[in-house]
Amino acid sequence: QEGCDKFCAFCVVPYTRGAEVSRPVTRILDEARNLVERGVREITLLGQNVNAYHGAGPKGTDYTLAQLIWELDKVDGLERIRFTTSHPNDMTDELIEAHGNCAKLMPYLHLPVQSGSDHILKRMNRSHTAESYLRVIERIRAARPDIVLSGDFIVGFPEETEAHFQETLDLVEQVKYGYAYSFKYSTRPGTPAAERALVDAAEADDRLQRLQALITKHQREIQDCMIGREVSVLFEKPGRDEGQMVGKSEYLHAVHVANANAQVGDIAKVRIVDAGTNSLKGELLS
Ligand code: SF4
């Protein structure tokens, strides 16, 4: 899926990539089968606004992203499916249900919100409120309680006051992201927000630091909660130590496993024994 029809006030994608275009279902399935034959176990469906996917299906009607995921679910040898990046307004009931019912769809979701302030969200032209975003999160967690969420944030967007920023901190406190990407607003020429007055740079820097400290605190807490849990790890590369392998859990945590006795592409059950902010350590379960 390429392009986007959402026109967020800060974003160049609708101008540089144009309107949303989705690849046909059969081409994606053919590519997936081909990749699986070559040893691929995990596929990430990519798009600027991937959950607005509407690709031509084999029966002459457009398929949604949820329908595409269920088609990929039938591909033998494909073990894991992910998708990114999504817009909250396109998290449909059937896509949320897939998170609950499709075993191959991994329990990780990147769902940007950008700000926790309704005033700033309106000025960003995001077409959703903080409350509607939180309701979507609630529905996703009801369908898949162990899901790990990640998000994107822009701080210091034009007109953002300390009170607006506090609303972002409040939202982050409520959601508790496993990961989040946060940036200080910078002007993109040609976008509607480019004409607006900037927030004081030192103030924006300070807000970014405070937001990142809160995000890192939650990230660490969520990583710590993994200790003692059993996860499945898809090994991606050898680690620094002899015999060590590094892979990704279903929650997209980087997991280092000593004496893994595994090849790249193997999936193994692992018990988590230690946690850092950015990665976990695990032991192979026989
Ligand atoms: S931020 Fe995302 S949803 Fe908004 S216009 Fe850009 S690509 Fe589209």
Side-chain angles (χ1 to χ4, degrees):
Q1 187 274 342
E2 277 231 0
C4 183
D5 298 342
K6 294 282 192 287
F7 289 92
C8 298
F10 52 82
C11 180
V12 293
V13 166
Y15 309 101
T16 56
R17 304 289 183 100
E20 286 167 5
V21 179
S22 298
R23 291 176 66 201
V25 171
T26 45
R27 277 183 51 199
I28 296 172
L29 292 176
D30 286 348
E31 189 180 349
R33 288 190 198 101
N34 197 277
L35 288 167
V36 168
E37 272 172 29
R38 287 157 48 199
V40 168
R41 316 288 300 276
E42 173 175 316
I43 282 177
T44 302
L45 299 165
L46 292 176
Q48 269 92 34
N49 189 16
V50 72
N51 58 343
Y53 175 84
H54 52 273
K59 293 172 192 151
T61 54
D62 279 2
Y63 274 37
T64 61
L65 182 65
Q67 288 172 304
L68 175 63
I69 287 167
W70 282 112
E71 289 301 318
L72 283 166
D73 182 65
K74 297 176 196 158
V75 175
D76 284 339
L78 178 61
E79 304 291 342
R80 294 175 159 198
I81 304 166
R82 303 183 192 274
F83 61 90
T84 195
T85 287
S86 298
H87 191 284
N89 289 1
D90 293 316
M91 285 306 298
T92 59
D93 288 345
E94 60 167 357
L95 189 52
I96 291 172
E97 273 169 37
H99 270 290
N101 300 330
C102 179
K104 290 186 183 178
L105 185 57
M106 293 293 97
Y108 170 88
L109 178 66
H110 183 62
L111 195 60
V113 62
Q114 309 297 356
S115 170
S117 155
D118 286 346
H119 174 75
I120 296 299
L121 288 170
K122 199 166 179 16
R123 298 296 287 143
M124 286 177 165
N125 196 31
R126 286 289 294 176
S127 323
H128 62 79
T129 62
E131 187 59 27
S132 68
Y133 176 84
L134 290 169
R135 294 292 76 81
V136 171
I137 298 288
E138 211 172 79
R139 285 162 53 221
I140 294 164
R141 284 195 163 136
R144 184 73 204 231
D146 63 336
I147 199 161
V148 169
L149 296 162
S150 72
D152 287 340
F153 291 89
I154 296 172
V155 300
F157 189 75
E159 298 178 23
E160 185 192 72
T161 62
E162 176 61 24
H164 297 137
F165 175 67
Q166 282 298 329
E167 291 178 299
T168 298
L169 294 180
D170 289 348
L171 181 139
V172 170
E173 194 62 69
Q174 286 185 66
V175 175
K176 291 190 170 49
Y177 294 91
Y179 311 84
Y181 306 90
S182 50
F183 309 92
K184 189 170 78 167
Y185 172 74
S186 67
T187 302
R188 295 286 181 270
T191 58
E195 308 302 321
R196 302 177 196 165
L198 294 173
V199 167
D200 176 74
E203 185 60 40
D205 281 334
D206 178 64
R207 289 177 196 164
L208 184 61
Q209 279 183 27
R210 283 187 282 152
L211 176 62
Q212 290 182 340
L214 184 61
I215 288 167
T216 304
K217 174 174 164 275
H218 292 154
Q219 184 175 328
R220 184 62 203 249
E221 285 168 5
I222 289 168
Q223 303 252 131
D224 284 348
C225 279
M226 296 305 295
I227 296 174
R229 283 185 55 186
E230 191 181 308
V231 297
S232 91
V233 175
L234 170 56
F235 291 112
E236 294 179 341
K237 59 182 181 185
R240 280 201 209 116
D241 303 334
E242 181 73 28
Q244 187 190 51
M245 292 289 284
V246 185
K248 291 278 167 47
S249 75
E250 53 273 67
Y251 305 102
L252 212 60
H253 290 131
V255 183
H256 297 248
V257 180
N259 305 315
N261 191 24
Q263 306 291 318
V264 170
D266 287 351
I267 296 178
K269 289 283 174 207
V270 167
R271 186 176 309 286
I272 302 302
V273 294
D274 199 6
T277 304
N278 297 312
S279 64
L280 303 171
K281 274 190 189 159
E283 288 173 354
L284 211 57
L285 290 169
S286 50

